[in-house]
Amino acid sequence: MRKAFLHERVLLDPIESELLRRGFRASREYAVTINRQIVGFIDLYAVQGVHRVACEAELTPRRAANDVMKGSAVGASLLLIITPTGRIAARIDEDLRRAGYGCELRVCVLPLGRALGLIRDCFPLIPDAFRDPESSRESQP
Amino acid sequence: MHGQPNERNLRGLESLFRLPTVEADLEWQPRASTSARNREPVPNSDVDKTGASRLSEADRRYLAAVVASPGQPSASYARIAQMGTGKATRTRKSLVERGFLREHVVATGRRGRNAIVIEPLAAAHDALGPRSEEA
């Protein structure tokens, strides 16, 4: 009950409505399948054109590595791990850096307010933010 | 040790036999203990079970505000419940202690202090009655 309120209502609802406002199609508890077998669920998966954003709300750093695996498996371009406080975000970030995740998949671990800010500020610029470094080099004169 | 009574023992008991006899009250009932540990729960009415009778007008207004729009930062409820911030804080703490509300610390803004987000518990819905669920 406690987790449901904080996890679903406080953390995921504002992120979902913000993404929907920016033209994303969002689905909760998106099934992650490998070889037609469901291996897990992503809390919120949003798609807009080529942009695929996987959002995971985490109250503790315990399952962060699992989130990265799910984000990679589903082929997301951005994994947004949303936490209630900055302290938990820092812990998750530190754990992921130590484990060496986040090389191919872009992972952002942010508290709720900053995650909303990221969506508001960066999604209009998302083609630039998500552009492959190689393709951006090609486009330069 | 407790063998046959000898003369010496009986001599000591003579003073006891001389004491006046008081008849026992056969209709005596053991008195209920007044200590908190042994106290039996007092049967409550339905209103008492939900805690609604213990709520003041300010408590009720604050609860109604939280139930109507849960998950807001605590600062916003003072305005909705139309009370001062100090009174709202005291009311919130009292309701949290009594099990009507639960607090969560969430960084809802980009910077600054973390907000206290309020969650209404089942007791809050029960205390406000069916009208709260309809709203």
Side-chain angles (χ1 to χ4, degrees):
Chain A
M1 183 82 181
R2 178 179 189 158
K3 194 193 168 195
F5 182 82
L6 188 57
H7 188 269
E8 301 290 325
R9 187 138 195 174
V10 176
L11 296 180
L12 286 176
D13 277 1
I15 295 286
E16 185 179 14
S17 54
E18 199 63 49
L19 287 168
L20 290 173
R21 238 176 271 150
R22 275 158 175 74
F24 277 83
R25 283 182 291 112
S27 54
R28 290 279 185 99
E29 297 297 327
Y30 185 84
V32 181
T33 52
I34 296 175
N35 296 331
R36 293 182 182 179
Q37 281 196 336
I38 295 173
V39 292
F41 294 89
I42 289 176
D43 290 337
L44 175 66
Y45 188 63
V47 181
Q48 185 215 40
V50 294
H51 310 306
R52 297 175 303 280
V53 181
C55 302
E56 284 280 352
E58 290 298 338
L59 309 184
T60 62
R62 279 176 297 182
R63 292 172 54 81
N66 199 24
D67 295 343
V68 177
M69 288 170 68
K70 284 192 283 186
S72 301
V74 84
S77 44
L78 170 68
L79 171 64
L80 191 57
I81 299 177
I82 306 134
T83 63
T85 60
R87 190 173 289 181
I88 299 171
R91 274 283 306 279
I92 292 175
D93 206 24
E94 194 185 322
D95 288 357
L96 292 179
R97 277 177 205 280
R98 204 182 299 142
Y101 289 110
C103 320
E104 295 172 11
L105 174 68
R106 187 180 169 189
V107 183
C108 289
V109 189
L110 295 170
L112 176 66
R114 291 184 63 197
L116 287 169
L118 175 89
I119 293 168
R120 282 177 197 141
D121 293 349
C122 296
F123 267 92
L125 305 172
I126 206 73
D128 288 338
F130 276 74
R131 191 176 292 159
D132 202 1
E134 289 182 11
S135 63
S136 64
R137 264 187 232 121
E138 285 170 9
S139 65
Q140 284 172 358
Chain B
M1 282 181 81
H2 302 286
Q4 295 292 323
N6 55 28
E7 285 182 13
R8 197 178 167 185
N9 287 343
L10 287 172
R11 230 180 288 146
L13 288 171
E14 279 172 7
S15 57
L16 264 179
F17 292 136
R18 265 186 252 123
L19 287 172
T21 307
V22 180
E23 285 184 16
D25 180 11
L26 296 176
E27 291 179 1
W28 177 83
Q29 292 290 326
R31 204 184 304 166
S33 171
T34 52
S35 70
R37 190 187 296 173
N38 299 329
R39 194 178 298 153
E40 288 180 7
V42 180
N44 294 331
S45 65
D46 288 338
V47 177
D48 286 331
K49 276 177 192 169
T50 58
S53 64
R54 290 178 284 140
L55 291 174
S56 65
E57 182 53 38
D59 292 341
R60 199 172 282 277
R61 263 190 290 146
Y62 196 92
L63 269 188
V66 175
V67 168
S69 54
Q72 302 288 320
S74 62
S76 63
Y77 292 119
R79 195 174 54 250
I80 298 169
Q82 295 178 337
M83 59 175 75
T85 50
K87 189 175 183 182
T89 306
R90 283 195 299 275
T91 307
R92 168 170 56 83
K93 284 181 179 170
S94 148
L95 290 169
V96 167
E97 277 175 14
R98 285 187 279 164
F100 288 100
L101 303 175
R102 187 182 284 148
E103 295 175 336
H104 302 281
V105 177
V106 181
T108 52
R110 281 189 173 189
R111 56 171 68 184
R113 204 185 294 175
N114 292 339
I116 298 172
V117 172
I118 312 287
E119 174 188 1
L121 298 178
H125 292 278
D126 294 344
L128 291 178
R131 267 188 292 172
S132 70
E133 285 161 18
E134 286 167 18

